Amino acid sequence: MLAKRIIPCLDIKDGQTVKGTNFVNLRHAGDPVELARAYSEQGADELVFLDITASFEGRKTFAELVKRIAANISIPFTVGGGIHELSDVDRLLNAGADKISVNSSAIRRPGLIDEIAKHFGSQFCVLAVDAKQTKKGWWCYLNGGRVETDKELFAWTKEAQERGAGEVLFTSMNHDGVKTGYANGALAALADRLSIPVIASGGAGVKEHFRDVFLEGKADAALAASVFHFGEIKIPDLKSYLCAQGVAMRR
Protein backbone atom coordinates (compact mmCIF):
# COMPACT_ATOMS: atom_id res chain seq x y z
CA MET A 1 0.00 0.00 0.00
CA LEU A 2 1.33 3.44 -0.92
CA ALA A 3 1.57 5.84 2.02
CA LYS A 4 -1.64 7.77 2.53
CA ARG A 5 -1.83 11.53 3.11
CA ILE A 6 -3.67 13.63 5.70
CA ILE A 7 -4.55 17.08 4.36
CA PRO A 8 -6.13 19.88 6.40
CA CYS A 9 -8.16 22.33 4.30
CA LEU A 10 -8.38 26.06 4.85
CA ASP A 11 -11.58 27.43 3.33
CA ILE A 12 -10.98 31.16 3.09
CA LYS A 13 -13.60 33.92 2.97
CA ASP A 14 -12.66 37.58 3.43
CA GLY A 15 -9.17 36.56 4.53
CA GLN A 16 -10.36 34.31 7.37
CA THR A 17 -10.76 30.54 7.70
CA VAL A 18 -14.41 29.44 7.71
CA LYS A 19 -16.28 26.14 7.84
CA GLY A 20 -19.85 25.29 7.01
CA THR A 21 -22.24 22.37 6.68
CA ASN A 22 -23.36 21.22 3.22
CA PHE A 23 -21.61 24.34 1.85
CA VAL A 24 -23.74 26.80 3.88
CA ASN A 25 -23.96 28.22 7.44
CA LEU A 26 -20.33 29.32 7.52
CA ARG A 27 -18.63 30.03 10.84
CA HIS A 28 -15.20 31.43 11.56
CA ALA A 29 -12.48 28.89 12.32
CA GLY A 30 -9.37 30.99 12.91
CA ASP A 31 -6.48 32.84 11.31
CA PRO A 32 -5.29 30.97 8.20
CA VAL A 33 -1.60 31.71 8.70
CA GLU A 34 -1.64 30.49 12.31
CA LEU A 35 -3.61 27.37 11.40
CA ALA A 36 -1.30 26.59 8.47
CA ARG A 37 1.80 26.90 10.65
CA ALA A 38 0.26 24.67 13.32
CA TYR A 39 -0.68 21.96 10.81
CA SER A 40 2.78 22.00 9.29
CA GLU A 41 4.31 21.55 12.73
CA GLN A 42 1.84 18.80 13.69
CA GLY A 43 2.82 16.58 10.77
CA ALA A 44 0.15 17.22 8.15
CA ASP A 45 1.32 15.85 4.81
CA GLU A 46 -0.05 18.69 2.71
CA LEU A 47 -2.26 21.74 3.01
CA VAL A 48 -5.11 22.95 0.79
CA PHE A 49 -6.16 26.60 0.63
CA LEU A 50 -9.47 27.33 -1.11
CA ASP A 51 -10.76 30.86 -1.60
CA ILE A 52 -14.33 29.61 -1.55
CA THR A 53 -16.10 32.71 -2.86
CA ALA A 54 -13.55 33.80 -5.48
CA SER A 55 -15.37 32.19 -8.41
CA PHE A 56 -18.81 33.28 -7.19
CA GLU A 57 -17.65 36.87 -6.62
CA GLY A 58 -15.58 36.96 -9.80
CA ARG A 59 -12.29 37.98 -8.24
CA LYS A 60 -8.80 36.58 -7.89
CA THR A 61 -7.42 34.52 -5.01
CA PHE A 62 -5.46 36.59 -2.49
CA ALA A 63 -1.86 36.15 -3.64
CA GLU A 64 -0.57 38.07 -0.61
CA LEU A 65 -2.22 35.66 1.79
CA VAL A 66 -0.77 32.76 -0.19
CA LYS A 67 2.69 34.29 0.27
CA ARG A 68 2.19 34.64 4.02
CA ILE A 69 1.04 31.05 4.40
CA ALA A 70 3.83 29.65 2.21
CA ALA A 71 6.41 31.49 4.30
CA ASN A 72 5.19 29.74 7.45
CA ILE A 73 4.95 26.10 6.35
CA SER A 74 7.29 23.35 5.15
CA ILE A 75 4.78 21.04 3.48
CA PRO A 76 3.25 21.02 -0.04
CA PHE A 77 0.54 23.61 -0.49
CA THR A 78 -2.36 23.56 -2.98
CA VAL A 79 -4.28 26.76 -3.76
CA GLY A 80 -7.64 27.14 -5.49
CA GLY A 81 -10.31 29.73 -6.18
CA GLY A 82 -10.78 32.22 -8.98
CA ILE A 83 -8.22 30.62 -11.32
CA HIS A 84 -9.29 31.25 -14.89
CA GLU A 85 -6.13 31.55 -16.98
CA LEU A 86 -2.45 30.68 -17.05
CA SER A 87 -1.45 34.04 -15.61
CA ASP A 88 -3.46 33.21 -12.46
CA VAL A 89 -1.58 29.93 -12.12
CA ASP A 90 1.76 31.64 -12.66
CA ARG A 91 0.99 34.28 -10.04
CA LEU A 92 0.01 31.74 -7.40
CA LEU A 93 2.97 29.43 -8.05
CA ASN A 94 5.25 32.46 -7.75
CA ALA A 95 3.53 33.37 -4.48
CA GLY A 96 4.50 29.99 -3.03
CA ALA A 97 1.83 27.49 -4.04
CA ASP A 98 3.12 24.02 -4.95
CA LYS A 99 -0.04 23.04 -6.83
CA ILE A 100 -3.21 24.75 -7.95
CA SER A 101 -6.75 23.43 -8.07
CA VAL A 102 -9.40 24.34 -10.61
CA ASN A 103 -13.11 23.68 -10.34
CA SER A 104 -15.72 26.06 -11.77
CA SER A 105 -13.35 27.51 -14.37
CA ALA A 106 -12.47 24.02 -15.67
CA ILE A 107 -16.14 23.05 -15.97
CA ARG A 108 -16.82 26.21 -17.96
CA ARG A 109 -13.69 25.80 -20.08
CA PRO A 110 -12.22 22.26 -19.91
CA GLY A 111 -9.32 23.28 -22.14
CA LEU A 112 -7.88 25.15 -19.16
CA ILE A 113 -6.76 21.77 -17.78
CA ASP A 114 -4.88 21.01 -21.00
CA GLU A 115 -3.22 24.43 -20.88
CA ILE A 116 -2.08 24.08 -17.29
CA ALA A 117 -0.76 20.56 -17.85
CA LYS A 118 1.09 21.63 -21.00
CA HIS A 119 2.68 24.78 -19.57
CA PHE A 120 3.36 23.73 -15.98
CA GLY A 121 3.00 19.93 -15.84
CA SER A 122 0.22 17.62 -14.67
CA GLN A 123 1.78 17.42 -11.21
CA PHE A 124 0.77 21.05 -10.64
CA CYS A 125 -2.88 20.61 -11.67
CA VAL A 126 -5.55 19.34 -9.24
CA LEU A 127 -9.12 19.04 -10.44
CA ALA A 128 -11.46 19.93 -7.59
CA VAL A 129 -14.98 18.54 -7.92
CA ASP A 130 -17.99 19.48 -5.81
CA ALA A 131 -20.60 16.81 -6.49
CA LYS A 132 -23.99 15.92 -5.07
CA GLN A 133 -25.75 12.57 -5.18
CA THR A 134 -29.20 13.01 -6.68
CA LYS A 135 -31.87 10.64 -7.98
CA LYS A 136 -30.07 10.58 -11.33
CA GLY A 137 -26.61 9.93 -9.87
CA TRP A 138 -23.60 12.05 -8.90
CA TRP A 139 -23.60 15.48 -10.57
CA CYS A 140 -21.06 18.28 -10.37
CA TYR A 141 -21.76 21.81 -9.17
CA LEU A 142 -19.90 25.05 -9.65
CA ASN A 143 -19.54 28.41 -7.87
CA GLY A 144 -19.09 26.80 -4.46
CA GLY A 145 -21.95 24.36 -4.93
CA ARG A 146 -24.48 26.96 -6.03
CA VAL A 147 -25.10 25.91 -9.62
CA GLU A 148 -25.80 22.41 -10.97
CA THR A 149 -23.96 21.54 -14.19
CA ASP A 150 -24.34 18.96 -16.94
CA LYS A 151 -21.16 17.20 -15.77
CA GLU A 152 -21.58 13.71 -14.34
CA LEU A 153 -18.93 12.93 -11.70
CA PHE A 154 -17.33 9.85 -13.23
CA ALA A 155 -17.37 11.05 -16.82
CA TRP A 156 -16.01 14.49 -15.89
CA THR A 157 -13.13 13.22 -13.75
CA LYS A 158 -12.17 10.72 -16.46
CA GLU A 159 -12.13 13.52 -19.03
CA ALA A 160 -10.04 15.71 -16.71
CA GLN A 161 -7.50 12.93 -16.28
CA GLU A 162 -7.24 12.53 -20.04
CA ARG A 163 -6.75 16.28 -20.39
CA GLY A 164 -3.82 16.21 -17.96
CA ALA A 165 -5.09 16.70 -14.41
CA GLY A 166 -2.65 15.15 -11.95
CA GLU A 167 -5.04 14.59 -9.04
CA VAL A 168 -8.77 14.74 -8.29
CA LEU A 169 -10.06 16.37 -5.11
CA PHE A 170 -13.64 15.10 -4.72
CA THR A 171 -15.93 16.77 -2.19
CA SER A 172 -19.30 15.14 -1.54
CA MET A 173 -21.74 17.96 -0.91
CA ASN A 174 -24.09 15.48 0.76
CA HIS A 175 -21.43 14.64 3.33
CA ASP A 176 -19.76 18.04 3.79
CA GLY A 177 -19.60 19.10 7.42
CA VAL A 178 -22.08 16.52 8.74
CA LYS A 179 -19.33 14.28 10.19
CA THR A 180 -20.92 10.93 9.37
CA GLY A 181 -18.12 9.61 7.18
CA TYR A 182 -16.89 10.05 3.63
CA ALA A 183 -18.71 9.02 0.43
CA ASN A 184 -16.76 5.76 0.32
CA GLY A 185 -18.83 4.08 -2.39
CA ALA A 186 -18.34 6.92 -4.85
CA LEU A 187 -14.68 7.27 -3.86
CA ALA A 188 -13.97 3.59 -4.47
CA ALA A 189 -15.69 3.83 -7.85
CA LEU A 190 -13.52 6.84 -8.72
CA ALA A 191 -10.36 5.02 -7.62
CA ASP A 192 -11.27 2.06 -9.83
CA ARG A 193 -11.87 4.28 -12.85
CA LEU A 194 -8.89 6.64 -12.56
CA SER A 195 -5.14 6.13 -12.60
CA ILE A 196 -4.37 9.42 -10.83
CA PRO A 197 -4.61 10.00 -7.06
CA VAL A 198 -8.01 10.70 -5.52
CA ILE A 199 -8.31 13.01 -2.51
CA ALA A 200 -11.44 12.49 -0.40
CA SER A 201 -13.26 15.47 1.09
CA GLY A 202 -16.48 15.84 3.04
CA GLY A 203 -17.68 13.89 6.05
CA ALA A 204 -14.82 13.37 8.53
CA GLY A 205 -16.03 13.25 12.12
CA VAL A 206 -14.00 10.61 13.97
CA LYS A 207 -10.75 8.73 13.41
CA GLU A 208 -12.60 5.68 12.13
CA HIS A 209 -13.86 7.68 9.17
CA PHE A 210 -10.28 8.18 8.00
CA ARG A 211 -9.58 4.46 8.33
CA ASP A 212 -12.69 3.66 6.31
CA VAL A 213 -11.96 6.17 3.55
CA PHE A 214 -8.55 4.60 2.98
CA LEU A 215 -9.55 0.94 3.31
CA GLU A 216 -13.08 1.05 1.84
CA GLY A 217 -13.01 4.25 -0.21
CA LYS A 218 -9.57 3.47 -1.67
CA ALA A 219 -8.63 7.16 -1.35
CA ASP A 220 -5.01 8.22 -1.72
CA ALA A 221 -5.47 11.15 0.65
CA ALA A 222 -8.10 12.39 3.09
CA LEU A 223 -8.90 16.06 3.45
CA ALA A 224 -10.73 17.49 6.45
CA ALA A 225 -11.35 20.87 8.02
CA SER A 226 -13.50 21.35 11.12
CA VAL A 227 -12.28 18.28 13.03
CA PHE A 228 -8.77 19.75 12.78
CA HIS A 229 -9.65 23.46 13.13
CA PHE A 230 -11.64 22.96 16.34
CA GLY A 231 -9.26 20.44 17.90
CA GLU A 232 -11.59 17.44 17.75
CA ILE A 233 -8.87 15.27 16.16
CA LYS A 234 -5.14 15.84 16.54
CA ILE A 235 -3.08 14.94 13.47
CA PRO A 236 -0.32 13.05 15.38
CA ASP A 237 -2.98 11.00 17.20
CA LEU A 238 -4.79 10.31 13.93
CA LYS A 239 -1.64 9.09 12.21
CA SER A 240 -0.76 6.80 15.14
CA TYR A 241 -4.28 5.37 15.08
CA LEU A 242 -4.20 4.77 11.33
CA CYS A 243 -0.81 3.05 11.53
CA ALA A 244 -2.20 0.75 14.20
CA GLN A 245 -5.12 -0.03 11.86
CA GLY A 246 -2.73 -1.16 9.14
CA VAL A 247 -2.88 2.00 7.02
CA ALA A 248 0.49 3.03 5.67
CA MET A 249 1.13 6.64 6.61
CA ARG A 250 3.79 9.17 5.76
CA ARG A 251 5.92 10.06 8.76
Side-chain angles (χ1 to χ4, degrees):
M1 179 190 295
L2 291 175
K4 305 297 187 179
R5 291 172 283 155
I6 299 297
I7 307 177
C9 180
L10 304 178
D11 289 333
I12 307 296
K13 183 177 187 292
D14 301 326
Q16 290 294 310
T17 311
V18 296
K19 187 66 190 92
T21 302
N22 302 128
F23 283 46
V24 295
N25 301 321
L26 300 178
R27 56 177 173 153
H28 284 285
D31 177 79
V33 178
E34 293 177 6
L35 285 171
R37 182 190 301 118
Y39 292 141
S40 180
E41 293 171 351
Q42 289 169 21
D45 298 297
E46 296 185 21
L47 187 69
V48 167
F49 165 113
L50 298 175
D51 192 340
I52 60 173
T53 58
S55 292
F56 174 62
E57 296 173 358
R59 59 179 168 75
K60 305 297 187 183
T61 298
F62 296 132
E64 286 304 313
L65 183 54
V66 172
K67 288 181 182 178
R68 289 170 53 210
I69 291 175
N72 283 273
I73 63 176
S74 58
I75 54 178
F77 179 32
T78 299
V79 178
I83 297 168
H84 302 289
E85 54 197 16
L86 291 180
S87 61
D88 298 329
V89 178
D90 191 54
R91 184 178 67 256
L92 292 171
L93 293 177
N94 284 330
D98 297 286
K99 294 182 276 189
I100 60 91
S101 75
V102 289
N103 187 339
S104 298
S105 56
I107 287 177
R108 292 192 180 97
R109 188 168 70 84
L112 179 62
I113 299 172
D114 304 72
E115 294 171 10
I116 295 170
K118 178 181 177 181
H119 284 81
F120 299 100
S122 292
Q123 71 273 24
F124 291 104
C125 184
V126 179
L127 177 76
V129 180
D130 299 328
K132 183 185 294 185
Q133 187 174 28
T134 67
K135 292 180 180 178
K136 59 181 181 179
W138 284 93
W139 291 86
C140 302
Y141 284 66
L142 49 71
N143 286 0
R146 293 173 178 82
V147 181
E148 183 178 352
T149 74
D150 61 354
K151 299 287 189 185
E152 189 269 338
L153 172 64
F154 301 108
W156 171 227
T157 51
K158 185 73 170 179
E159 177 185 341
Q161 173 181 282
E162 292 169 353
R163 288 181 176 274
E167 287 185 290
V168 168
L169 166 56
F170 162 51
T171 300
S172 166
M173 295 174 62
N174 307 77
H175 295 73
D176 177 68
V178 298
K179 299 182 179 180
T180 56
Y182 292 89
N184 291 327
L187 284 160
L190 274 179
D192 289 341
R193 287 169 167 81
L194 302 176
S195 60
I196 57 176
V198 176
I199 304 168
S201 172
V206 294
K207 295 174 186 176
E208 289 79 7
H209 293 156
F210 290 88
R211 175 199 64 198
D212 294 344
V213 79
F214 291 133
L215 298 181
E216 298 173 17
K218 303 181 183 180
D220 297 279
L223 179 146
S226 59
V227 292
F228 297 143
H229 299 340
F230 302 114
E232 297 163 34
I233 297 176
K234 302 292 187 183
I235 291 174
D237 296 341
L238 175 60
K239 285 194 164 187
S240 295
Y241 165 80
L242 290 169
C243 286
Q245 294 294 310
V247 179
M249 300 302 302
R250 294 184 180 183
R251 292 293 187 175

